Amino acid sequence: LYCVTVNRVLLTVLVLTICLILHSRLFREPSQPKLTFSDAKKVPVHTQKLLVDKTAEGKYDIPVVICAAEERMGAAMATINSIYSNTDSSVFFYIVTLRDAIKLTREYIQKTKLRGIKYKIVEFNPMILKGKVKPDSSRPDLLHPLNFVRFYLPLLDISHKKVIYVDDDVIVQGDIKDLYNIKLEKGHAAAFATDCDLPSTHEMVRSVAMQTTYMGFLDYRKKEVRDLGINPSDCSFNPGVFVADVPEWKKQKITKQLEKWMQENFNQNIYSSAMAGGVATPPMLIVFHDKYTVIDPLWHVRHLGWSPDTRYSEAFLQGAHLLHWNGRFKPWDYPCVHLDRWEKWFIPDPNGRFLLNRHNDR
């Protein structure tokens, strides 16, 4: 009798175990694909796959890298809007930001007309700059970690051979496809616009006494600079807009070269943000000296932010494909020139955090 009772108990336990296994297999939720930064929010299960596909970089997409700092979020979104609105090509945006601004970046996109863009939000870890950048009180804005993202393009895991990098104080008036289609010369890892190009640019530069040569960026009193053998009167270039050949960048170990000069400046102070170009431009000037393809100067009309009074002619601006407010006077602040060109693409912050600072508001 005892054996019969034990057998019945064992049989009951076995049946219950089988039932639990079947219940688990039949009613548990199916596993979902892992979401990217740009998608990692709570969304209905049936839309998760769609969002993953939406952010997948396509073979024929034009990849554009832009940084989105929390305090300048509206600037980055205006740049993206101008690029997206002026081309029929498919553009994929790599939007690089710091961890604290990921949510804000996503909301600015998803709550505005930009919800239709293809993009990926990439977190940049500022710890990679430790020991390479020293504080400088004269222009602290130039020391923002995102200013150095352009040094680390291979870390963004871009599948295309070429990529366009643009600063957030840029407005694109032309078709970005034309810039992307530039053919880089053999052995060149990047293409920039030289500072010795358009007569109209020269007039602007003379009026604000801006430097356009290597002398304005490097300290030629230092032996390390003189040993480079670079003529101080050689034309400089602005790395706020450029086209990069990613495989060639990796092949030449451009990032390691840039880091070397960052470290050199950290130890020897061979350049400073008190000079013309801050701390992100000089390493680029050194590494790419005489080793870059020149782009059409109309694809980088700059210096709009160097003076609150000096203006380009409207006729010249109409033919410009890209406008860059490099300098202290930004178009979202006051005072600044050619505000109408920038405000045309500005999208109000849906969270009300990024506000335009205008004279009438004071």
Side-chain angles (χ1 to χ4, degrees), residues 198-215:
L198 291 172
S200 295
T201 300
H202 295 165
E203 294 171 12
M204 172 74 83
V205 168
R206 281 195 294 269
S207 67
V208 297
M210 181 184 173
Q211 294 290 335
T212 59
T213 66
Y214 275 68
M215 177 64 80

Side-chain angles (χ1 to χ4, degrees), residues 285-338:
L285 291 177
I286 294 172
V287 172
F288 286 102
H289 180 253
D290 280 346
K291 296 179 183 177
Y292 67 90
T293 300
V294 177
I295 66 175
D296 182 344
L298 288 175
W299 267 108
H300 194 178
V301 174
R302 48 215 177 278
H303 316 316
L304 278 74
W306 273 88
S307 168
D309 304 307
T310 308
R311 307 173 64 92
Y312 285 115
S313 71
E314 282 302 312
F316 174 68
L317 291 180
Q318 286 178 9
H321 305 315
L322 183 148
L323 304 177
H324 188 183
W325 280 263
N326 59 307
R328 296 174 183 269
F329 303 97
K330 303 301 184 184
W332 54 88
D333 208 344
Y334 179 86
C336 189
V337 296
H338 305 302

Side-chain angles (χ1 to χ4, degrees), residues 13-221:
V13 171
L14 179 61
V15 170
L16 289 174
T17 301
I18 294 173
C19 290
L20 287 172
I21 292 174
L22 290 174
H23 181 275
S24 175
R25 291 183 176 180
L26 288 173
F27 296 99
R28 71 182 180 185
E29 292 185 358
S31 60
Q32 297 298 327
K34 185 177 180 180
L35 302 180
T36 62
F37 269 132
S38 53
D39 304 320
K41 63 175 187 172
K42 293 182 179 179
V43 293
V45 171
H46 67 277
T47 64
Q48 288 188 3
K49 186 64 170 68
L50 174 62
L51 288 173
V52 172
D53 288 343
K54 175 185 174 185
T55 58
E57 186 180 357
K59 179 179 180 181
Y60 299 104
D61 288 341
I62 297 174
V64 174
V65 174
I66 183 170
C67 296
E70 183 174 1
E71 63 275 18
R72 292 165 57 139
M73 192 63 64
M77 297 305 157
T79 303
I80 292 172
N81 185 31
S82 70
I83 295 172
Y84 177 66
S85 301
N86 285 308
T87 184
D88 292 329
S89 300
S90 178
V91 182
F92 189 96
F93 294 96
Y94 287 86
I95 306 172
V96 188
T97 191
L98 302 182
R99 176 172 296 181
D100 293 344
I102 291 175
K103 180 180 178 182
L104 180 63
T105 306
R106 183 187 302 119
E107 290 180 348
Y108 213 128
I109 294 172
Q110 295 180 349
K111 293 181 179 179
T112 65
K113 63 178 289 187
L114 295 179
R115 67 178 64 90
I117 69 172
K118 299 175 69 175
Y119 69 100
K120 177 181 180 181
I121 298 175
V122 182
E123 179 188 344
F124 183 71
N125 186 351
M127 289 304 295
I128 198 171
L129 302 174
K130 187 176 181 180
K132 303 182 182 74
V133 180
K134 62 173 60 178
D136 192 319
S137 59
S138 61
R139 289 293 303 276
D141 56 312
L142 297 177
L143 296 174
H144 195 289
L146 294 180
N147 271 352
F148 302 92
V149 166
R150 72 196 83 194
F151 292 7
Y152 297 96
L153 295 181
L155 298 185
L156 303 181
D157 194 26
I158 299 169
S159 61
H160 284 70
K161 179 181 178 182
K162 285 196 301 185
V163 62
I164 298 173
Y165 173 91
V166 292
D167 278 348
D168 64 356
D169 51 356
V170 160
I171 288 299
V172 175
Q173 300 185 136
D175 189 334
I176 198 70
K177 177 181 64 177
D178 296 336
L179 178 59
Y180 185 70
N181 284 340
I182 183 175
K183 185 176 181 180
L184 274 69
E185 296 179 25
K186 186 176 181 180
H188 287 177
F192 304 91
T194 174
D195 281 330
C196 300
D197 44 31
L198 291 172
S200 295
T201 300
H202 295 165
E203 294 171 12
M204 172 74 83
V205 168
R206 281 195 294 269
S207 67
V208 297
M210 181 184 173
Q211 294 290 335
T212 59
T213 66
Y214 275 68
M215 177 64 80
F217 298 87
L218 302 178
D219 187 350
Y220 276 83
R221 295 172 300 179

Side-chain angles (χ1 to χ4, degrees), residues 248-263:
E248 191 65 32
W249 188 291
K250 294 178 180 178
K251 177 183 176 182
Q252 297 185 28
K253 299 181 179 179
I254 297 295
T255 297
K256 286 188 177 295
Q257 293 188 55
L258 293 168
E259 287 187 323
K260 170 192 172 182
W261 289 105
M262 291 170 70
Q263 189 69 56

